[in-house]
Amino acid sequence: MNYQELEELNRTPLLVLLEKAHEVHRRNWPDNEVQVCTLLSIKTGGCSEDCAYCAQSAHYSTGVKNEGLLPREVVLERALLARETGSTRFCMGAAWRGISRKDKRWPEVLEIVRAVSALGLEVCATLGKLGPDEARELKAAGLDAYNHNLDTSPEYYPSIVSTHTYQERLDTIRNIQDAGISVCCGGIIGLGEKQADRLRLLEIVSSFNPHPESFPINALISMPGTPMEERNDDAPVDCWDFIRMCAMARIALPKTRVRMSAGRGRLSHEAQALCFYAGANSLFYGDKLLTAKNAGTSEDLEMIRKLGLNVKKPDPSLMAPLPDAESPLFPEHEPHPCTTPGPCREA
Ligand code: SAM
Ligand code: DTB
Ligand code: SF4
């Protein structure tokens, strides 16, 4: 959808928007299913990047303890536990700007992916910037999906991150797509962005061909020590904004899984029920996200039961969505003057 279409949709009163989104959802996802994913930080803290929301950036004193790459056995133990408790996707995060095959930890990263894949879980990783060779090797090791968020609009991005550009994020996403790995790409709300920035994010992600396999929606968790530490302390992201984002994402990306990600723990079950109604069909399960607390596991099970949702089974033959032959593979986005690091030069 282009910006104008999204803007028009965004003017729809919430209840009408919910109805529209639900109709798209039912048509494309008739199974009343929720995908349950587990996150594990396999390398924590000390990241060279200065993402203003992130507790793992070395630029801020956040109290997060730095930890090197976890031993494979520890990762496997956690993956097995995730499988036993009903998760079907295991997503491993590393606090890196990116990783190259020249890095001495690379062979171990591939071994970890192979080992988790052998458990029959869908394997996802989020390791930062990747080149085409790295993406191909991860695919050969059994990686199903790669999470690389654009987080916000290209215009607002330089106010949040100065150590890498939006274009670098797009390049990595392209490398993942080209390797045949499913793309998981979403954003954060509550960074101080305007609704226009959220619409731009949706515009850009919905211009991908194919659409990403999943779209995570994060609500900022204000992490102590980061420049965003006080942003949402007293007024966390408004649940109606989260619900609206789920509905907009469902309409803009009809066949993409919409994942309620960070910040879900601050939403009531009633608010989450509306997110499911609007088209959300995936969540992170377990007490912890990467470094932050998640919604409680027993409460989540209770909510899934009360709402009558079916927990999705793992799909061992998960295929990356195929591109639409009629459209360009990856539209070139006009480089915006703001996509270079530094303060926005446009009013
Ligand atoms: N280093 C990798 C990268 O930047 O892609 C992977 C890890 S990074 C923590 C993954 C995503 O988590 C970010 O892009 C952002 O969307 C989300 N995230 C991180 N910290 C967050 C916070 N405090 N609140 C909400 N979302 C957050
Ligand atoms: C995503 O979009 N959100 C997850 C996952 N992908 C990697 C991470 C959320 C991190 C929340 C903050 C933390 O735990 O430090
Ligand atoms: Fe590093 Fe990723 Fe955190 Fe940015 S979001 S500081 S790249 S771990």
Side-chain angles (χ1 to χ4, degrees):
M1 287 174 84
N2 65 32
Y3 188 81
Q4 213 181 337
E5 292 166 327
L6 285 159
E7 209 182 21
E8 211 165 288
L9 188 65
N10 186 53
R11 280 198 292 271
T12 314
L14 187 71
L15 290 181
V16 182
L17 180 70
L18 282 181
E19 220 176 287
K20 277 192 188 182
H22 187 68
E23 194 270 316
V24 174
H25 187 58
R26 274 281 157 268
R27 209 167 351 108
N28 290 282
W29 301 90
D31 295 337
N32 196 34
E33 231 181 35
V34 62
Q35 178 192 45
V36 172
C37 313
T38 295
L39 265 175
L40 176 68
S41 179
I42 59 168
K43 186 270 165 188
T44 306
C47 181
S48 62
E49 304 308 282
D50 67 355
C51 311
Y53 51 78
C54 186
Q56 305 201 64
S57 164
H59 294 253
Y60 319 121
S61 304
T62 65
V64 165
K65 206 168 128 253
N66 297 350
E67 260 181 58
L69 186 62
L70 287 181
R72 198 186 323 164
E73 309 73 59
V74 175
V75 179
L76 268 183
E77 226 170 78
R78 301 291 292 269
L80 269 171
L81 194 67
R83 192 178 69 174
E84 275 161 27
T85 51
S87 268
T88 56
R89 177 172 285 203
F90 193 65
C91 179
M92 298 174 280
W96 282 324
R97 170 187 169 78
I99 179 137
S100 132
R101 61 210 288 259
K102 296 197 186 102
D103 191 302
K104 63 178 189 322
R105 295 164 295 188
W106 181 246
E108 187 54 18
V109 169
L110 294 178
E111 282 305 323
I112 290 174
V113 170
R114 273 185 208 110
V116 177
S117 174
L119 298 180
L121 283 158
E122 289 172 18
V123 198
C124 177
T126 178
L127 316 170
K129 185 173 170 155
L130 285 188
D133 293 338
E134 286 76 10
R136 276 193 293 271
E137 287 184 26
L138 282 170
K139 169 78 184 170
L143 192 79
D144 295 297
Y146 195 85
N147 167 242
H148 203 64
N149 291 341
L150 288 173
D151 282 330
T152 185
S153 67
E155 293 76 25
Y156 194 56
Y157 199 70
S159 314
I160 302 297
V161 184
S162 77
T163 46
H164 57 258
T165 64
Y166 208 76
Q167 188 57 49
E168 285 177 272
R169 303 289 287 182
L170 288 168
D171 293 344
T172 292
I173 292 166
R174 185 179 201 153
N175 292 335
I176 301 161
Q177 275 188 342
D178 287 350
I181 297 171
S182 291
V183 170
C184 168
C185 177
I188 312 185
I189 61 174
L191 298 171
E193 77 287 354
K194 302 207 167 33
Q195 186 63 15
D197 297 300
R198 298 176 190 168
L199 302 184
R200 280 282 281 148
L201 170 70
L202 284 170
E203 182 192 22
I204 289 165
V205 174
S206 70
S207 75
F208 293 176
N209 179 20
H211 280 175
E213 181 257 349
S214 45
F215 182 82
I217 304 177
N218 297 276
L220 176 72
I221 304 179
S222 300
M223 302 302 275
T226 65
M228 303 251 156
E229 74 175 324
E230 280 164 14
R231 186 168 288 281
N232 288 328
D233 264 5
D234 299 325
V237 169
D238 186 351
C239 73
W240 301 110
D241 283 3
F242 201 95
I243 294 163
R244 180 172 281 274
M245 195 65 184
C246 290
M248 297 285 296
R250 170 51 62 231
I251 296 170
L253 303 164
K255 293 184 190 301
T256 295
R257 266 191 196 279
V258 173
R259 182 168 306 120
M260 292 195 259
S261 303
R264 186 177 61 83
R266 292 185 90 155
L267 298 178
S268 68
H269 285 182
E270 292 84 344
Q272 291 184 57
L274 284 176
C275 294
F276 286 121
Y277 183 80
N281 54 358
S282 176
L283 49 75
F284 284 119
Y285 173 70
D287 294 327
K288 208 169 164 196
L289 293 161
L290 292 174
T291 69
K293 223 168 117 232
N294 193 19
T297 47
S298 50
E299 288 91 336
D300 275 351
L301 289 176
E302 178 64 8
M303 174 181 72
I304 289 172
R305 192 189 62 74
K306 273 191 299 200
L307 299 180
L309 297 166
N310 304 316
V311 173
K312 181 191 176 295
K313 306 250 172 336
D315 181 357
S317 60
L318 183 77
M319 301 280 284
L322 290 172
D324 162 12
E326 303 289 301
S327 314
L329 264 188
F330 196 85
E332 295 301 334
H333 296 284
E334 275 298 301
H336 187 279
C338 291
T339 52
T340 48
C344 178
R345 278 174 274 123
E346 283 208 337

